[in-house]
Amino acid sequence: MQTHLADFIRNTIEGREADAILRKCVHCGFCTATCPTYQLLGDELDGPRGRIYLMKQVLEGVTPTSTTQLHLDRCLSCRNCETTCPSGVQYGRLLDIGRVIVEQQVERTEVEKLKRKLLRLVIPYRNRFGPLLKIGQFFRPFLPKPLKQATPAARAAGVWPQADKHDRRMLVLNGCVQPAIAPDINSATARVLDQLGIGLTTANDGCCGALSYHLSAHDEALGFVRQNIDAWWPYIEQGVEAIVITASGCGVMVKDYGYLLRHDTDYAKKAATVSDLTKDISEVLYTEDLTKLKTKSNKKVAFQAPCSLQHGLKLSGKVEDILARLGFSLTTVPDTHLCCGSAGTYSILNPVISNQLKKRKLEALCSEQPDIIATANIGCLTHLESEATVPVVHWINLIAAMSHEK
Amino acid sequence: MSIAPKAENPSLQSQRARVASDLRRVVATDSVLDEEESLRPYECDGLSAYRRLPLVVVLPDTVDQVQQVVRYCHDNDIPIVARGAGTGLSGGALPIEDGVVLSLAKFNKVISVDKDNRTAVVQPGVRNLAISETVSHLGLYYAPDPSSQIACTIGGNVAENAGGLHCLKYGLTVHNVLEIKIVTIEGDLVTIGSNALDSPGYDLLALMTGSEGLLGIIVEVTVKLLTKPDCAKVIMASFDDIEKAGNAVANIITAGIIPGGLEMMDNAAIRVTEDFVHAGYDVEAAAILLCELDGTPEEVDDEIERVKLVLEQSGYTQMQVAKDDNQRQLFWSGRKSAFPAVGRISPDYYCMDGTIPRKTLGSVMSKVDELSRQYDLRVVNVFHAGDGNLHPLILYDGNVEGELERTEELGGAILDLCIEVGGTITGEHGVGMEKIDHMCIQFDTLELSQFHAVKQAFDTKRLLNPDKAVPTLHRCAEFGAMHVHKGQLKFPDIERF
Ligand SMILES: Cc1cc2nc3c(=O)[nH]c(=O)nc-3n(C[C@H](O)[C@H](O)[C@H](O)COP(=O)(O)OP(=O)(O)OC[C@H]3O[C@@H](n4cnc5c(N)ncnc54)[C@H](O)[C@@H]3O)c2cc1C
Ligand code: SF4
Ligand code: SF4
């Protein structure tokens, strides 16, 4: 596509990157077809091609108003459009650049600012989010329905086997909300890997940075990134094989560390090493010999592929393959490519669209009456769980539970 | 003749405010777009070299709203451009400065499916592929499959009489639609066609199909569905020379075989699509042919053998039958994404859409190659080879001054070539804004007058997509003055301006 970037951005790193992305877009419109918000709203401004155009205008020097901001806010960052785009347009990167500029040029209302600030102040910090959640869980039986739905029930952490009995070692990201909401995911991962002869340890890491990054607070995000790299580095020097991520949303972010810090002279190399070592838990299991795990289950499982897993990490089909190899029967789920509406903080900031997408997703997931829904990302898990009529778990918990039955 | 935005006339702005506020009495406030910021993304369709800012964009979601919007425009002499998914490649949905863009995108529901009679009633904004997906569990599908089927709407398909990979055997849109409902420019809801295969009187449905939004707004479509074939297999054959591949196409048809689909891609197209779909295409070949055969397993096996023989005689270098249905789908999915995949190697492309008699395929290919060198612009070739529909994609860079103009000249030369060998200027993408001047070459004054008479009968005030598809005789006269075809003025009988 023809571009004429404005002086303020043309010769910056972001400007050059955005220009290259825009020029790749040939305006064919294929991407609109798989965009969840376009499907719901039917306005091109709520689809990728229109959003690209809106951002192009801003980059070409048109001062945006809250209209552009609204349509960019409504984007789920699900990156379904990237999977669909035959031309290889990196929409997600363009959006990261575009959103920051629009954020600088359009003043939000005080309420909106406060909401965003609160999210950034609470969620990424385990010591802030954890206690708040505990209070919520304590009062859960007395909460009104919407709040109750939004507050996940407490889960037991589960046993974490000793890591040092194995020669093979991996590190797992703790992250921010997952240890508070579902501490059983990482412990299940540790037990499954234990059976495969891999010891799993943790470091004193924190939020992966995705939350701040997607709220256009890039510097804040990079702060988290550097902290995590520092926390992991000693383990990397000791030779951990991989940094395992059990929330695909965080996986996308950590795999991007190398890219995000590519111009940081102190961190570029380390960040690249971290990204290289990063693996979603499905990537780990996919290449392991799974015969050591118990392989019979009569559970009918509906798998929900998070956008971060299929469109972000491009790992479509891996989890399904693993579960099938282990003897689970998987239901056929229509429209697997569509977002469930969780999308990080989206469910809080855009509840109406988010709920519509959740309803559609649950209908699709339940179309063949599964016993259980499995997912790969904590955000999707809590979002779906709030209204699902069957249990929703991380798929690794299915495997861990099965082995337990031995 | 590309169109780029100009500075806006201030009187348009007050008109914009008035029209927007009037239309907001009919549809929801946020379904009328009137800020320049929101209108820009609607300034073009899939042919982004042609851009014009509309007066307003309106996004109704009921037929009643469409009727009211159209009536309002009719009463106030405001032009209307209908828009589906905006994937058109001829600028058909290009807005008009003082006109309304009427988007049908919110009409995206399948209304009903009749399994026994194998029909489906759908809203105009339903995506082509969504129809087949909806009825797939019944063993049915909607046959016409434009490469853009993932995104383009059935309303847009009817308006363009869209073709697709499987149209060689199963026909174009016109052969697969039974009935449509349109809103006329007066705002009346009219049903055209019937559920039966034929209906009494003139075949208005055929007239409407391909009318490019000039005769009415399509608000409902009843399509014919087909039973999925028991078996479908696709052969991929490589050639070391594009002319040989072209001749192979002609040979297959001459042998009396009608494949489900017969497509050809040249080396550049093969490479860019392989990059996207990883289908296992032969990236060394000068050209590949994809030939699909479908029917009962016995039929298919028999035809595969026959096609193999013809390909052998035509001098293929490699041949492979897709090993399973997954790979078959992948072969097609690569072909379907060929245009946009070109974005990987060039910032812009200009897609031509001429048709030629199949027997000239080989020689036309060589001439296109010659022209490409002459104009110093790369051309990537993708075709619906089976029906002689060429899609040379001229690669250019819109940021380089003069390249677009040179591209259009080359495009014009290719269309001239098509007419010269006895073909036409459009196979399936429509005339729209893009090929309007070439209509003057393809048709003579009398023919064009007849087209205008038809338009007049439906739309006396000329408000529906007014400057598209059929050029005014004045326009042809002006164009004729510039474009002397084979040393002859095309419209010697028209006064020149
Ligand atoms: C990559 C790519 C590949 C393509 N491949 C093919 C192909 O293989 N075969 C093919 O035939 N075409 C192809 N096309 C062209 C295009 O997709 C078709 O012309 C399609 O039918 C347009 O549908 P749309 O919904 O996008 O319509 P639009 O582009 O929105 O509109 C097209 C025309 O139809 C009119 N229109 C739209 N909806 C209505 C309505 N409801 N009532 C009245 N008029 C209406 C518009 O005014 C306009 O004139 C391709 C396009 C792209 C970008
Ligand atoms: S699919 Fe890709 S090239 Fe086509 S409009 Fe979308 S982003 Fe642009
Ligand atoms: S990221 Fe998702 S919501 Fe955003 S434009 Fe792409 S497909 Fe649509």
Side-chain angles (χ1 to χ4, degrees):
Chain A
M1 201 156 60
Q2 200 181 24
T3 55
H4 299 285
L5 259 56
D7 291 342
F8 80 95
I9 187 103
R10 187 182 306 134
N11 292 318
T12 61
I13 294 171
E14 288 80 21
R16 275 192 286 268
E17 184 175 16
D19 193 48
I21 297 171
L22 284 172
R23 278 164 59 83
K24 264 201 158 179
C25 173
V26 293
H27 212 71
C28 66
F30 279 24
C31 52
T32 54
T34 55
C35 172
T37 55
Y38 181 74
Q39 289 187 354
L40 283 180
L41 302 166
D43 181 349
E44 290 204 28
L45 307 182
D46 290 313
R49 186 171 70 167
R51 290 184 177 123
I52 289 173
Y53 226 85
L54 288 170
M55 290 189 272
K56 175 173 181 273
Q57 288 187 79
V58 176
L59 293 161
E60 291 186 338
V62 174
T63 311
T65 71
S66 55
T67 304
T68 293
Q69 190 167 51
L70 173 76
H71 295 293
L72 296 189
D73 281 352
R74 279 191 190 149
C75 170
L76 296 145
S77 305
C78 68
R79 292 168 61 189
N80 201 333
C81 46
E82 278 187 27
T83 302
T84 308
C85 174
S87 185
V89 171
Q90 289 178 300
Y91 170 88
R93 294 239 182 266
L94 182 67
L95 183 71
D96 287 338
I97 298 170
R99 271 186 174 156
V100 171
I101 299 170
V102 172
E103 200 70 28
Q104 288 159 354
Q105 299 189 2
V106 182
E107 179 100 24
R108 289 190 186 272
T109 63
E110 293 307 317
V111 181
E112 278 301 311
K113 278 195 246 175
L114 189 68
K115 270 199 231 165
R116 276 150 215 273
K117 195 151 191 191
L118 270 176
L119 287 171
R120 279 165 44 202
L121 278 176
V122 176
I123 296 189
Y125 302 92
R126 280 199 294 272
N127 57 359
R128 297 179 199 168
F129 178 76
L132 277 176
L133 179 71
K134 286 234 165 65
I135 298 171
Q137 284 171 335
F138 183 79
F139 289 108
R140 196 168 180 267
F142 314 107
L143 292 176
K145 196 175 159 224
L147 258 182
K148 190 168 168 173
Q149 280 186 347
T151 314
R155 298 174 188 233
V159 191
W160 194 301
Q162 201 89 44
D164 47 15
K165 60 180 181 200
H166 301 293
D167 292 338
R168 293 181 65 188
R169 270 320 151 72
M170 293 183 184
L171 195 62
V172 68
L173 163 79
N174 288 306
C176 50
V177 295
Q178 186 167 303
I181 298 177
D184 55 330
I185 296 179
N186 277 358
S187 63
T189 307
R191 293 197 300 279
V192 170
L193 291 184
D194 180 59
Q195 291 184 58
L196 297 172
I198 301 167
L200 193 67
T201 42
T202 61
N204 189 23
D205 58 29
C207 177
C208 66
L211 185 129
S212 314
Y213 202 79
H214 293 306
L215 289 173
S216 299
H218 287 191
D219 290 340
E220 183 177 285
L222 295 182
F224 287 117
V225 173
R226 292 191 189 93
Q227 274 173 27
N228 285 348
I229 295 176
D230 289 341
W232 292 333
W233 199 250
Y235 295 85
I236 292 173
E237 285 182 329
Q238 285 164 27
V240 291
E241 253 178 69
I243 300 167
V244 180
I245 314 280
T246 54
S248 54
C250 309
V252 174
M253 183 72 186
V254 182
K255 282 213 183 177
D256 254 4
Y257 280 9
Y259 184 82
L260 297 172
L261 290 179
R262 69 196 184 287
H263 299 295
D264 179 324
T265 35
D266 297 333
Y267 278 88
K269 259 188 124 163
K270 285 184 177 176
T273 307
V274 164
S275 290
D276 282 348
L277 284 176
T278 300
K279 281 191 175 151
D280 182 78
I281 177 65
S282 61
E283 286 176 278
V284 177
L285 259 60
Y286 192 73
T287 50
E288 292 294 324
D289 172 12
L290 301 182
T291 51
K292 293 176 200 154
L293 302 173
K294 189 182 164 184
T295 57
K296 262 266 162 313
S297 168
N298 47 12
K299 279 220 171 78
K300 215 162 111 185
V301 183
F303 180 65
Q304 186 264 141
C307 301
S308 40
L309 188 75
Q310 54 176 332
H311 307 304
L313 296 169
K314 316 243 181 277
L315 293 175
S316 288
K318 289 264 191 309
V319 175
E320 292 91 325
D321 184 86
I322 294 166
L323 291 176
R325 264 153 73 194
L326 290 173
F328 288 94
S329 74
L330 288 162
T331 64
T332 310
V333 181
D335 292 332
T336 45
H337 62 288
L338 290 179
C339 179
C340 70
S342 164
T345 55
Y346 193 92
S347 54
I348 299 165
L349 295 170
N350 294 281
V352 178
I353 297 176
S354 168
N355 271 323
Q356 283 173 315
L357 292 174
K358 174 163 69 181
K359 289 216 162 66
R360 288 191 178 190
K361 181 56 80 181
L362 283 171
E363 247 167 56
L365 284 166
C366 295
S367 59
E368 290 186 5
Q369 288 88 36
D371 300 316
I372 198 160
I373 294 171
T375 178
N377 187 42
I378 184 69
C380 312
L381 191 155
T382 51
H383 182 67
L384 293 173
E385 189 176 47
S386 67
E387 263 180 78
T389 48
V390 293
V392 184
V393 297
H394 191 292
W395 62 271
I396 196 76
N397 290 76
L398 287 177
I399 300 179
M402 191 169 72
S403 321
H404 207 64
E405 286 162 14
K406 235 189 242 185
Chain B
M1 202 250 2
S2 57
I3 296 179
K6 310 184 274 251
E8 233 184 44
N9 172 353
S11 80
L12 271 183
Q13 290 177 21
S14 63
Q15 196 194 349
R16 171 169 298 142
R18 198 181 60 243
V19 172
S21 100
D22 289 346
L23 288 175
R24 286 198 170 106
R25 286 195 211 119
V26 179
V27 299
T29 306
D30 60 358
S31 293
V32 178
L33 313 181
D34 59 341
E35 297 164 278
E36 182 173 339
E37 188 181 7
S38 331
L39 294 173
R40 273 291 162 221
Y42 283 92
E43 71 183 359
C44 57
D45 58 11
L47 178 65
S48 64
Y50 288 47
R51 301 186 293 274
R52 263 189 326 215
L53 199 68
L55 192 65
V56 299
V57 173
V58 55
L59 302 139
D61 57 13
T62 65
V63 173
D64 181 56
Q65 286 177 355
V66 173
Q67 289 180 273
Q68 290 189 55
V69 169
V70 172
R71 240 174 248 142
Y72 169 82
C73 291
H74 185 243
D75 292 347
N76 293 281
D77 293 335
I78 302 168
I80 304 173
V81 178
R83 183 179 176 101
T87 67
L89 288 172
S90 57
L94 176 77
I96 294 176
E97 280 106 345
D98 59 351
V100 165
V101 166
L102 175 62
S103 164
L104 282 307
K106 286 185 192 262
F107 289 83
N108 60 5
K109 312 261 166 343
V110 172
I111 300 169
S112 63
V113 176
D114 182 341
K115 183 176 159 238
D116 299 328
N117 290 309
R118 293 194 306 238
T119 60
V121 181
V122 302
Q123 291 188 323
V126 170
R127 296 177 297 114
N128 172 301
L129 185 61
I131 302 177
S132 292
E133 284 171 354
T134 307
V135 299
S136 166
H137 67 287
L138 303 171
L140 301 173
Y141 74 112
Y142 174 65
D145 54 347
S147 305
S148 52
Q149 70 173 157
I150 185 174
C152 63
T153 67
I154 189 73
N157 288 174
V158 174
E160 296 286 8
N161 189 17
L165 308 185
H166 291 89
C167 285
L168 179 60
K169 185 162 177 185
Y170 297 106
L172 301 160
T173 304
V174 68
H175 306 111
N176 290 277
V177 167
L178 291 170
E179 182 182 292
I180 60 173
K181 288 204 171 104
I182 64 160
V183 170
T184 65
I185 188 63
E186 287 85 16
D188 299 331
L189 187 63
V190 175
T191 304
I192 295 178
S194 83
N195 274 319
L197 280 178
D198 195 10
S199 48
Y202 292 123
D203 190 355
L204 288 181
L205 184 56
L207 176 64
M208 288 304 300
T209 314
S211 63
E212 303 198 24
L214 266 75
L215 304 182
I217 309 294
I218 300 154
V219 291
E220 196 183 289
V221 183
T222 305
V223 297
K224 232 193 291 187
L225 302 170
L226 298 187
T227 310
K228 286 191 219 166
D230 294 347
C231 170
K233 284 190 180 166
V234 62
I235 302 183
M236 174 174 79
S238 316
F239 291 85
D240 57 8
D241 175 81
I242 195 157
E243 227 181 303
K244 277 191 204 159
N247 294 333
V249 171
N251 296 345
I252 291 174
I253 305 290
T254 317
I257 302 163
I258 302 197
L262 183 54
E263 297 284 315
M264 178 163 148
M265 294 197 274
D266 73 1
N267 182 271
I270 299 166
R271 283 175 187 267
V272 290
T273 50
E274 179 62 16
D275 228 21
F276 175 53
V277 290
H278 310 293
Y281 291 148
D282 174 4
V283 295
E284 299 304 326
I288 58 172
L289 278 189
L290 292 172
C291 179
E292 178 159 295
L293 301 150
D294 59 4
T296 62
E298 298 75 30
E299 258 174 326
V300 171
D301 287 341
D302 176 51
E303 287 197 328
I304 289 250
E305 288 315 313
R306 288 173 61 202
V307 171
K308 277 186 176 167
L309 196 70
V310 177
L311 290 171
E312 212 173 284
Q313 287 157 357
S314 311
Y316 76 92
T317 51
Q318 271 188 46
M319 180 152 60
Q320 177 189 350
V321 180
K323 62 177 188 293
D324 54 22
D325 215 52
N326 267 345
Q327 195 178 32
R328 183 180 73 89
Q329 304 276 7
L330 217 50
F331 278 178
W332 286 128
S333 123
R335 163 61 190 89
K336 284 177 186 165
S337 46
F339 299 175
V342 158
R344 290 168 183 261
I345 55 166
S346 170
D348 299 281
Y349 68 79
Y350 181 38
C351 172
M352 311 307 302
D353 173 40
T355 61
I356 51 167
R358 273 181 298 257
K359 62 179 192 315
T360 61
L361 212 58
S363 64
V364 167
M365 286 321 312
S366 316
K367 287 213 181 98
V368 168
D369 188 44
E370 239 168 67
L371 284 169
S372 148
R373 257 175 287 189
Q374 187 186 328
Y375 283 83
D376 191 22
L377 288 165
R378 287 181 293 169
V379 175
V380 173
N381 287 295
V382 185
F383 323 102
H384 302 308
D387 42 21
N389 185 190
L390 306 182
H391 290 315
L393 303 171
I394 308 173
L395 310 192
Y396 72 99
D397 181 347
N399 285 6
V400 174
E401 202 164 330
E403 246 191 305
L404 173 61
E405 290 70 26
R406 217 164 69 240
T407 300
E408 286 182 321
E409 274 176 43
L410 170 54
I414 294 176
L415 290 189
D416 286 350
L417 176 63
C418 293
I419 299 177
E420 220 173 273
V421 298
T424 68
I425 57 171
T426 169
E428 55 181 21
H429 297 165
V431 175
M433 195 70 229
E434 176 220 4
K435 289 182 278 274
I436 190 139
D437 290 334
H438 272 87
M439 286 291 280
C440 308
I441 305 179
Q442 178 101 58
F443 297 100
D444 64 27
T445 315
L446 193 61
E447 287 164 320
L448 289 173
S449 306
Q450 293 307 317
F451 292 155
H452 284 297
V454 172
K455 169 80 174 158
Q456 184 77 12
F458 279 83
D459 175 18
T460 322
K461 289 184 168 184
R462 298 184 57 81
L463 293 174
L464 290 167
N465 222 359
D467 59 353
K468 315 276 176 62
V470 186
T472 60
L473 299 179
H474 289 174
R475 186 180 182 115
C476 284
E478 279 184 39
F479 176 69
M482 297 182 303
H483 190 107
V484 179
H485 189 64
K486 285 189 177 164
Q488 274 176 351
L489 269 182
K490 184 74 184 169
F491 292 87
D493 45 341
I494 297 180
E495 199 183 338
R496 298 203 133 64
F497 302 89

